Amino acid sequence: MTTTWRLDELGDDLDPGRPRELSAALVATFERLHGVPPAGVFAAPGRVNLMGEHTDYNGGWCLPMALPHATYVAVRRRDDRRLTVTSLQQVGAFSIDLDGLDPASLRGWSSYPAGVVWLLEASGLRMPGMDLVIDSRVPVGAGLSSSAALECAVALAACAMAEVAVDAQMRRRLIDLCVRAEREIVGSPTGGMDQTAALLARPGEALLLDCLTGRTEGVSWSFPEASLLIVDTRAQHSLSDGQYGDRRAECARAAAALGLDLLREAPDLGVALRRLTDDILHRRVRHVFSENLRVGAAVRAIRGGEHRELGRLFTESHESLRDDFEVSCAELDLVVDTALVEGAYGARMTGGGFGGSAIVLVADAKLARVRAAVTSAFAERGFTRPAFVVATAAGAAAEVESLTR
């Protein structure tokens, strides 16, 4: 996807906005474009991953947390079988007859919403024609899962127009369909963590996800006098640019060399490493194995209120992602190094890597100092000015407003 965000629009803070105000503005835009109000407005959140990077597609564990930054979709059913999609973050609208929709022909940003609708119908749910107007507060390329937020918001909107009830079981089904849309139609080999967080998260909690079984468990997020600072480096990344797929392929080769389906199944790191002669695969396996252990340790630290231990795990994870998995970049490393010098408990890159965002666990008393130091360090290196947000745990995708139906 491409974005039309401008730095002067974003400022230095990633503002999630107020859902009701954003919904009202989107309703007005929809009515201006289509001459009638939408039937409803749906929203799905972005997410930040606290621990467990590149573990999802290896059948491991991860610990995402939904953010209040969401993608909003206003929708109205049409009398024909035409799908129209307009995004306030994109140039031009998309329109196609659902009866003639060939997913192989989809390109660019339109492949996300159209792919979801096509897969919903291919799964046996008869989709009506519909008009969609989209607005997003999840910055593209920041590693905060803008694509899953878009997919899941469109999925809820489409289900509403098809009069499909979305209960807990249906949410699980939508996770699978949205993952398939991104893998098979967009061409991004996502592991499924993002869509799960968008559709199952609960306010005030991180979501412990077992990617092998799909089992989830809420982990209350509360650190008095400490904050989780997200730093969007504005070094753009894309999961469909090949590098993410390369890492996934390397993990698959390592699993095959070990006689496993998934690296999660390796019973002992030492035995696995002794059996691998390729240095690159050796390091990839070491990251995945150790990162899975860090997820469990992070959950214990959060539940015990052990901010220093959680910070240590953050930093250890970043070092593993930087050195063993090789998915960091100069901007992410600069955030981590600067935050640690300024007294943060810990910091790490988050998301797929090669750009995007870092997270910093820091005492509230040092929050402003860390932020100022990171901004100054970026200026000194000639990097684009970073953006910041103090993370809070939000809930899952839902209808924001029901209007005419």
Side-chain angles (χ1 to χ4, degrees):
M1 296 176 67
T2 58
T3 178
T4 57
W5 286 121
R6 297 196 312 270
L7 298 186
D8 60 336
E9 290 174 331
L10 283 173
D12 293 333
D13 293 288
L14 300 175
D15 181 13
R18 294 179 174 85
R20 288 292 179 183
E21 293 178 4
L22 293 170
S23 176
L26 192 57
V27 167
T29 300
F30 188 102
E31 192 162 4
R32 175 175 58 80
L33 291 172
H34 295 289
V36 292
V41 178
F42 297 80
R47 65 95 189 96
V48 62
N49 191 27
L50 301 177
M51 191 66 69
E53 231 60 79
H54 292 271
T55 53
D56 53 353
Y57 56 79
N58 285 298
W61 292 267
C62 51
L63 190 64
M65 183 170 77
L67 295 170
H69 304 71
T71 294
Y72 297 79
V73 175
V75 60
R76 185 180 181 91
R77 183 174 178 141
R78 296 173 58 98
D79 293 332
D80 56 17
R81 286 270 292 164
R82 197 149 199 88
L83 173 69
T84 77
V85 187
T86 305
S87 170
L88 304 190
Q89 280 70 53
Q90 305 293 336
V91 177
F94 171 80
S95 178
I96 195 168
D97 190 326
L98 289 177
D99 290 324
L101 176 56
D102 176 9
S105 69
L106 295 173
R107 296 291 184 273
W109 70 271
S110 63
S111 58
Y112 291 87
V116 168
V117 174
W118 184 84
L119 272 170
L120 283 167
E121 177 141 308
S123 73
L125 301 173
R126 178 70 172 175
M127 290 287 109
M130 63 191 89
D131 297 315
L132 304 175
V133 179
I134 299 164
D135 189 16
S136 182
R137 286 292 175 138
V138 187
V140 176
L144 302 178
S145 194
S146 59
S147 58
L150 173 58
E151 293 154 5
C152 295
V154 168
L156 286 190
C159 283
M161 295 304 95
E163 299 182 346
V164 174
V166 179
D167 55 12
Q169 182 177 1
M170 187 62 192
R171 282 181 179 263
R172 293 279 183 176
R173 185 177 176 187
L174 291 180
I175 290 169
D176 292 336
L177 289 172
C178 289
V179 170
R180 285 186 59 199
E182 189 151 349
R183 287 179 183 169
E184 300 172 15
I185 298 175
V186 178
S188 177
T190 180
M193 169 182 65
D194 301 343
Q195 293 81 1
T196 303
L199 284 164
L200 298 185
R202 293 187 296 189
E205 294 183 347
L207 189 71
L208 175 60
L209 169 62
D210 182 334
C211 300
L212 185 63
T213 66
R215 181 177 179 272
T216 59
E217 182 180 347
V219 180
S220 179
W221 176 259
S222 178
F223 275 94
E225 300 181 356
S227 294
L228 182 72
L229 179 67
I230 300 175
V231 184
D232 178 4
T233 66
R234 289 173 170 160
Q236 296 270 308
H237 83 151
S238 170
L239 297 188
S240 58
D241 66 3
Q243 297 181 91
Y244 183 95
D246 289 345
R247 295 301 180 275
R248 184 163 185 162
E250 288 163 353
C251 290
R253 289 204 304 273
L258 295 170
L260 306 172
D261 292 325
L262 295 165
L263 290 181
R264 154 78 174 270
E265 299 167 350
D268 181 88
L269 177 61
V271 172
L273 295 183
R274 285 193 294 274
R275 291 178 59 189
L276 290 171
T277 57
D278 185 294
D279 178 64
I280 290 178
L281 300 188
H282 191 280
R283 288 186 284 119
R284 303 300 187 251
V285 169
R286 185 166 57 196
H287 165 72
V288 172
F289 197 97
S290 63
E291 188 80 348
N292 276 324
L293 294 178
R294 280 188 289 271
V295 173
V299 169
R300 292 189 293 273
I302 293 169
R303 287 175 169 163
E306 300 170 5
H307 49 272
R308 295 185 186 280
E309 173 61 7
L310 182 61
R312 184 192 69 78
L313 292 166
F314 274 15
T315 305
E316 185 180 276
S317 173
H318 183 78
E319 292 169 350
S320 180
L321 287 159
R322 180 194 65 203
D323 300 336
D324 279 349
F325 221 70
E326 297 181 287
V327 293
S328 189
C329 66
E331 291 90 341
L332 290 167
D333 292 343
L334 185 58
V335 173
V336 172
D337 294 343
T338 304
L340 294 176
V341 167
E342 295 300 325
Y345 296 125
R348 65 185 289 269
M349 58 152 282
T350 186
F354 310 107
S357 296
I359 53 176
V360 181
L361 186 65
V362 57
D364 289 341
K366 297 180 179 179
L367 182 61
R369 190 169 79 193
V370 167
R371 175 174 166 152
V374 170
T375 301
S376 177
F378 270 52
E380 290 174 3
R381 292 281 294 273
F383 294 151
T384 301
R385 188 180 180 94
F388 303 87
V389 64
V390 175
T392 56
E399 186 172 24
V400 180
E401 193 166 357
S402 178
L403 298 167
T404 62
R405 72 181 191 282

